[in-house]
Amino acid sequence: MSESLVLIPTYNERENAELIIRKVMSLPRAFDVLIIDDGSPDGTAAIVRGLQAVFPGRLFLEERSGKQGLGTAYIHGFRWALARHYEYIFEMDADFSHNPDDLVRLYDACAQEGYDVAIGSRYIQGVNVVNWPMSRVLMSYFASWYVRLVTGMPIRDATAGFKCYTARVLRAIELEKIHFVGYAFQIEMKWLAYQLGFRIKEVPIIFTDRTRGTSKMSKGIVEEAFFGVLQMKVSSWLHPLKPVGKA
Protein backbone atom coordinates (compact mmCIF):
# COMPACT_ATOMS: atom_id res chain seq x y z
CA MET A 1 0.00 0.00 0.00
CA SER A 2 1.24 3.48 -0.90
CA GLU A 3 1.44 6.28 1.68
CA SER A 4 -0.53 8.47 -0.75
CA LEU A 5 -4.21 8.21 -1.66
CA VAL A 6 -5.97 10.17 -4.41
CA LEU A 7 -9.67 10.76 -3.78
CA ILE A 8 -11.76 11.13 -6.95
CA PRO A 9 -15.51 11.71 -6.52
CA THR A 10 -17.57 10.70 -9.55
CA TYR A 11 -21.06 11.13 -10.91
CA ASN A 12 -21.61 10.10 -14.53
CA GLU A 13 -17.91 10.01 -15.43
CA ARG A 14 -17.80 6.84 -17.55
CA GLU A 15 -16.03 8.79 -20.32
CA ASN A 16 -13.20 9.76 -17.98
CA ALA A 17 -13.02 7.09 -15.27
CA GLU A 18 -10.75 4.54 -16.93
CA LEU A 19 -8.51 7.20 -18.49
CA ILE A 20 -7.92 9.09 -15.24
CA ILE A 21 -7.29 5.90 -13.24
CA ARG A 22 -4.76 4.54 -15.74
CA LYS A 23 -3.00 7.89 -15.90
CA VAL A 24 -2.61 8.13 -12.12
CA MET A 25 -1.40 4.53 -11.95
CA SER A 26 1.24 5.26 -14.61
CA LEU A 27 2.94 8.05 -12.63
CA PRO A 28 6.55 7.51 -11.51
CA ARG A 29 5.49 7.85 -7.85
CA ALA A 30 2.98 5.34 -6.43
CA PHE A 31 -0.47 6.71 -5.65
CA ASP A 32 -3.42 4.60 -4.59
CA VAL A 33 -6.83 5.73 -5.85
CA LEU A 34 -10.22 5.76 -4.14
CA ILE A 35 -13.22 6.45 -6.36
CA ILE A 36 -16.27 7.72 -4.44
CA ASP A 37 -19.20 7.20 -6.78
CA ASP A 38 -22.63 8.67 -6.02
CA GLY A 39 -24.72 6.05 -7.78
CA SER A 40 -23.84 7.13 -11.32
CA PRO A 41 -26.59 5.85 -13.63
CA ASP A 42 -24.14 5.75 -16.56
CA GLY A 43 -22.21 2.78 -15.12
CA THR A 44 -19.11 4.61 -13.86
CA ALA A 45 -18.82 2.26 -10.87
CA ALA A 46 -18.90 -0.82 -13.10
CA ILE A 47 -15.92 0.48 -15.04
CA VAL A 48 -14.01 1.00 -11.81
CA ARG A 49 -14.88 -2.48 -10.55
CA GLY A 50 -13.52 -3.93 -13.77
CA LEU A 51 -10.22 -2.11 -13.29
CA GLN A 52 -9.76 -3.29 -9.72
CA ALA A 53 -8.50 -6.62 -11.06
CA VAL A 54 -5.92 -4.72 -13.12
CA PHE A 55 -4.70 -2.70 -10.11
CA PRO A 56 -5.21 -5.00 -7.11
CA GLY A 57 -4.55 -3.36 -3.75
CA ARG A 58 -4.21 0.09 -5.35
CA LEU A 59 -7.66 0.93 -6.72
CA PHE A 60 -10.63 1.14 -4.36
CA LEU A 61 -14.31 1.98 -4.81
CA GLU A 62 -16.87 3.35 -2.39
CA GLU A 63 -20.41 3.45 -3.78
CA ARG A 64 -23.02 5.77 -2.30
CA SER A 65 -26.72 6.02 -3.10
CA GLY A 66 -27.54 9.11 -5.14
CA LYS A 67 -25.93 12.53 -5.42
CA GLN A 68 -24.95 13.68 -1.93
CA GLY A 69 -22.60 16.52 -2.79
CA LEU A 70 -18.89 16.96 -3.40
CA GLY A 71 -18.12 17.89 0.19
CA THR A 72 -19.71 14.81 1.70
CA ALA A 73 -17.90 12.63 -0.85
CA TYR A 74 -14.54 14.04 0.18
CA ILE A 75 -15.33 13.76 3.89
CA HIS A 76 -16.27 10.11 3.29
CA GLY A 77 -12.92 9.68 1.53
CA PHE A 78 -10.97 11.49 4.26
CA ARG A 79 -12.35 9.17 6.91
CA TRP A 80 -11.66 6.12 4.75
CA ALA A 81 -8.06 7.26 4.23
CA LEU A 82 -7.39 8.05 7.90
CA ALA A 83 -8.79 4.67 8.98
CA ARG A 84 -6.20 3.04 6.69
CA HIS A 85 -3.31 5.25 7.85
CA TYR A 86 -2.51 7.08 4.62
CA GLU A 87 -0.14 9.98 5.23
CA TYR A 88 -0.89 12.12 2.15
CA ILE A 89 -4.47 12.49 0.94
CA PHE A 90 -5.25 14.22 -2.35
CA GLU A 91 -8.38 15.74 -3.87
CA MET A 92 -8.65 15.58 -7.65
CA ASP A 93 -11.39 15.87 -10.28
CA ALA A 94 -12.13 12.97 -12.62
CA ASP A 95 -12.34 15.06 -15.79
CA PHE A 96 -8.64 15.91 -16.39
CA SER A 97 -9.17 19.57 -15.50
CA HIS A 98 -6.46 18.73 -12.96
CA ASN A 99 -3.35 17.29 -14.62
CA PRO A 100 -2.46 14.03 -12.81
CA ASP A 101 1.25 14.76 -13.43
CA ASP A 102 0.93 17.58 -10.89
CA LEU A 103 0.16 15.09 -8.12
CA VAL A 104 3.91 14.55 -7.79
CA ARG A 105 4.52 18.30 -7.31
CA LEU A 106 1.82 18.53 -4.63
CA TYR A 107 3.31 15.48 -2.92
CA ASP A 108 6.77 17.02 -2.95
CA ALA A 109 5.49 20.25 -1.41
CA CYS A 110 4.24 18.29 1.60
CA ALA A 111 6.60 15.31 1.83
CA GLN A 112 9.84 17.02 0.80
CA GLU A 113 9.31 20.70 1.67
CA GLY A 114 7.37 20.13 4.88
CA TYR A 115 4.10 21.91 4.12
CA ASP A 116 0.89 20.64 5.68
CA VAL A 117 -1.39 21.52 2.76
CA ALA A 118 -0.46 21.95 -0.92
CA ILE A 119 -2.91 23.65 -3.25
CA GLY A 120 -2.82 23.34 -7.03
CA SER A 121 -3.30 27.03 -7.74
CA ARG A 122 -4.64 28.59 -10.95
CA TYR A 123 -3.90 32.14 -9.82
CA ILE A 124 -0.52 32.17 -8.05
CA GLN A 125 1.26 33.00 -11.33
CA GLY A 126 -1.27 35.08 -13.26
CA VAL A 127 -4.37 33.30 -14.56
CA ASN A 128 -3.63 29.75 -15.75
CA VAL A 129 -6.97 28.50 -17.06
CA VAL A 130 -7.58 26.88 -20.46
CA ASN A 131 -10.91 26.55 -22.32
CA TRP A 132 -13.06 28.50 -19.87
CA PRO A 133 -15.26 31.34 -21.17
CA MET A 134 -14.17 34.73 -19.84
CA SER A 135 -17.28 34.95 -17.66
CA ARG A 136 -16.29 31.76 -15.82
CA VAL A 137 -12.68 32.91 -15.41
CA LEU A 138 -13.80 36.24 -13.95
CA MET A 139 -16.29 34.58 -11.61
CA SER A 140 -13.66 32.19 -10.26
CA TYR A 141 -10.92 34.81 -9.99
CA PHE A 142 -13.09 37.33 -8.18
CA ALA A 143 -14.51 34.61 -5.94
CA SER A 144 -10.99 34.04 -4.62
CA TRP A 145 -10.48 37.81 -4.29
CA TYR A 146 -13.73 38.02 -2.32
CA VAL A 147 -12.59 35.22 0.01
CA ARG A 148 -9.30 37.00 0.70
CA LEU A 149 -11.14 40.27 1.34
CA VAL A 150 -13.61 38.78 3.81
CA THR A 151 -11.37 36.30 5.62
CA GLY A 152 -7.90 37.81 5.31
CA MET A 153 -6.62 34.38 4.30
CA PRO A 154 -3.58 34.87 2.01
CA ILE A 155 -4.54 32.23 -0.57
CA ARG A 156 -4.82 33.26 -4.22
CA ASP A 157 -6.98 30.31 -5.32
CA ALA A 158 -9.42 29.84 -2.45
CA THR A 159 -11.87 27.70 -4.44
CA ALA A 160 -9.24 25.30 -5.81
CA GLY A 161 -10.21 21.64 -5.68
CA PHE A 162 -6.79 20.09 -6.44
CA LYS A 163 -5.01 19.63 -3.13
CA CYS A 164 -2.82 17.48 -0.91
CA TYR A 165 -3.50 17.26 2.82
CA THR A 166 -1.24 15.60 5.31
CA ALA A 167 -3.05 13.25 7.65
CA ARG A 168 -2.34 15.48 10.65
CA VAL A 169 -4.42 18.27 9.09
CA LEU A 170 -7.43 16.03 8.50
CA ARG A 171 -7.13 14.61 12.02
CA ALA A 172 -7.12 18.14 13.45
CA ILE A 173 -10.18 19.35 11.52
CA GLU A 174 -13.52 18.28 13.00
CA LEU A 175 -14.90 16.77 9.82
CA GLU A 176 -18.34 16.17 11.30
CA LYS A 177 -18.75 19.95 11.66
CA ILE A 178 -18.06 20.83 8.01
CA HIS A 179 -21.12 22.74 6.78
CA PHE A 180 -20.80 23.06 3.02
CA VAL A 181 -20.84 20.78 -0.02
CA GLY A 182 -19.75 22.72 -3.15
CA TYR A 183 -17.27 25.55 -3.75
CA ALA A 184 -17.82 26.61 -0.15
CA PHE A 185 -16.57 23.22 1.04
CA GLN A 186 -13.23 23.86 -0.66
CA ILE A 187 -13.02 27.31 0.95
CA GLU A 188 -14.06 26.02 4.36
CA MET A 189 -11.38 23.32 4.43
CA LYS A 190 -8.66 25.86 3.59
CA TRP A 191 -10.04 28.32 6.13
CA LEU A 192 -10.00 25.73 8.92
CA ALA A 193 -6.46 24.60 8.07
CA TYR A 194 -5.34 28.24 8.03
CA GLN A 195 -7.01 29.02 11.37
CA LEU A 196 -5.41 25.95 12.93
CA GLY A 197 -1.98 27.28 11.98
CA PHE A 198 -0.97 24.72 9.38
CA ARG A 199 1.57 25.63 6.71
CA ILE A 200 -0.04 26.03 3.29
CA LYS A 201 1.70 26.29 -0.08
CA GLU A 202 0.18 27.16 -3.44
CA VAL A 203 1.77 25.22 -6.28
CA PRO A 204 1.17 26.75 -9.73
CA ILE A 205 -0.79 24.56 -12.13
CA ILE A 206 -2.55 24.94 -15.46
CA PHE A 207 -6.26 24.17 -15.18
CA THR A 208 -7.89 22.81 -18.34
CA ASP A 209 -11.68 22.64 -18.59
CA ARG A 210 -13.17 19.21 -19.23
CA THR A 211 -13.44 17.96 -22.82
CA ARG A 212 -15.57 14.89 -21.96
CA GLY A 213 -18.66 14.63 -19.78
CA THR A 214 -20.79 17.36 -18.21
CA SER A 215 -19.89 20.04 -15.68
CA LYS A 216 -21.57 19.82 -12.25
CA MET A 217 -21.48 23.62 -11.65
CA SER A 218 -24.80 25.18 -10.63
CA LYS A 219 -26.18 28.52 -9.43
CA GLY A 220 -26.84 27.02 -6.00
CA ILE A 221 -23.18 26.07 -5.57
CA VAL A 222 -22.09 29.64 -6.34
CA GLU A 223 -24.63 31.13 -3.93
CA GLU A 224 -23.54 28.73 -1.20
CA ALA A 225 -19.97 29.93 -1.60
CA PHE A 226 -20.87 33.65 -1.55
CA PHE A 227 -22.94 33.51 1.63
CA GLY A 228 -20.90 30.70 3.17
CA VAL A 229 -17.76 32.85 3.32
CA LEU A 230 -19.58 35.43 5.43
CA GLN A 231 -20.93 32.69 7.67
CA MET A 232 -17.45 31.20 8.12
CA LYS A 233 -15.96 34.57 9.07
CA VAL A 234 -18.68 35.30 11.63
CA SER A 235 -18.32 31.79 13.06
CA SER A 236 -14.57 32.36 13.48
CA TRP A 237 -15.33 35.41 15.64
CA LEU A 238 -17.84 33.54 17.78
CA HIS A 239 -15.89 30.28 18.01
CA PRO A 240 -12.18 30.99 17.38
CA LEU A 241 -9.94 28.00 16.79
CA LYS A 242 -6.70 27.55 18.67
CA PRO A 243 -3.76 27.00 16.28
CA VAL A 244 -2.27 23.53 16.61
CA GLY A 245 0.50 23.77 14.00
CA LYS A 246 2.34 20.47 13.89
CA ALA A 247 1.55 19.49 17.45
Side-chain angles (χ1 to χ4, degrees):
M1 187 175 76
S2 168
E3 63 179 349
S4 301
L5 179 70
V6 182
L7 306 178
I8 306 179
T10 57
Y11 183 77
N12 285 350
E13 293 287 359
R14 66 172 295 121
E15 296 176 77
N16 293 303
E18 180 168 358
L19 295 172
I20 197 74
I21 289 167
R22 288 188 179 278
K23 176 59 179 176
V24 173
M25 294 299 181
S26 73
L27 294 174
R29 179 171 293 283
F31 295 91
D32 291 350
V33 174
L34 171 63
I35 303 293
I36 306 112
D37 187 72
D38 274 6
S40 297
D42 72 345
T44 298
I47 292 172
V48 178
R49 285 194 295 272
L51 287 171
Q52 286 184 298
V54 181
F55 304 107
R58 295 188 61 197
L59 175 60
F60 307 95
L61 173 65
E62 289 284 287
E63 296 183 68
R64 309 195 306 166
S65 58
K67 294 182 71 174
Q68 299 179 42
L70 181 72
T72 66
Y74 276 129
I75 290 170
H76 184 102
F78 293 157
R79 289 181 171 137
W80 193 96
L82 292 175
R84 290 157 181 80
H85 308 292
Y86 284 94
E87 185 59 34
Y88 304 99
I89 300 96
F90 299 76
E91 294 182 10
M92 190 174 75
D93 290 349
D95 60 9
F96 284 92
S97 55
H98 303 144
N99 184 345
D101 290 331
D102 290 327
L103 286 168
V104 176
R105 298 171 61 227
L106 296 179
Y107 172 88
D108 287 344
C110 290
Q112 306 299 328
E113 300 176 42
Y115 287 90
D116 302 300
V117 181
I119 300 168
S121 178
R122 298 163 289 188
Y123 307 129
I124 196 66
Q125 292 182 347
V127 177
N128 291 317
V129 177
V130 177
N131 292 339
W132 263 5
M134 184 56 65
S135 60
R136 182 80 182 271
V137 173
L138 290 173
M139 181 182 71
S140 175
Y141 183 84
F142 283 106
S144 286
W145 173 85
Y146 168 71
V147 173
R148 292 198 307 276
L149 178 68
V150 173
T151 66
M153 183 170 56
I155 293 176
R156 303 290 300 182
D157 195 351
T159 63
F162 192 21
K163 299 194 291 295
C164 174
Y165 293 100
T166 57
R168 59 178 169 265
V169 174
L170 299 180
R171 285 194 295 264
I173 292 174
E174 296 181 82
L175 297 175
E176 69 278 2
K177 294 183 179 180
I178 297 292
H179 293 95
F180 302 108
V181 297
Y183 262 156
F185 166 79
Q186 302 292 10
I187 300 166
E188 186 176 13
M189 287 293 295
K190 298 179 187 74
W191 175 232
L192 293 172
Y194 174 72
Q195 285 185 286
L196 289 168
F198 289 108
R199 297 181 67 220
I200 301 171
K201 179 176 182 177
E202 290 188 83
V203 176
I205 65 162
I206 295 175
F207 178 96
T208 304
D209 195 22
R210 67 163 63 233
T211 58
R212 293 174 295 272
T214 304
S215 173
K216 313 305 187 295
M217 177 61 68
S218 70
K219 181 181 178 182
I221 288 173
V222 175
E223 290 178 349
E224 179 198 57
F226 181 85
F227 294 107
V229 171
L230 296 172
Q231 184 177 336
M232 282 184 275
K233 183 61 176 180
V234 172
S235 179
S236 73
W237 289 334
L238 298 176
H239 308 286
L241 297 179
K242 182 179 179 182
V244 296
K246 295 189 177 183

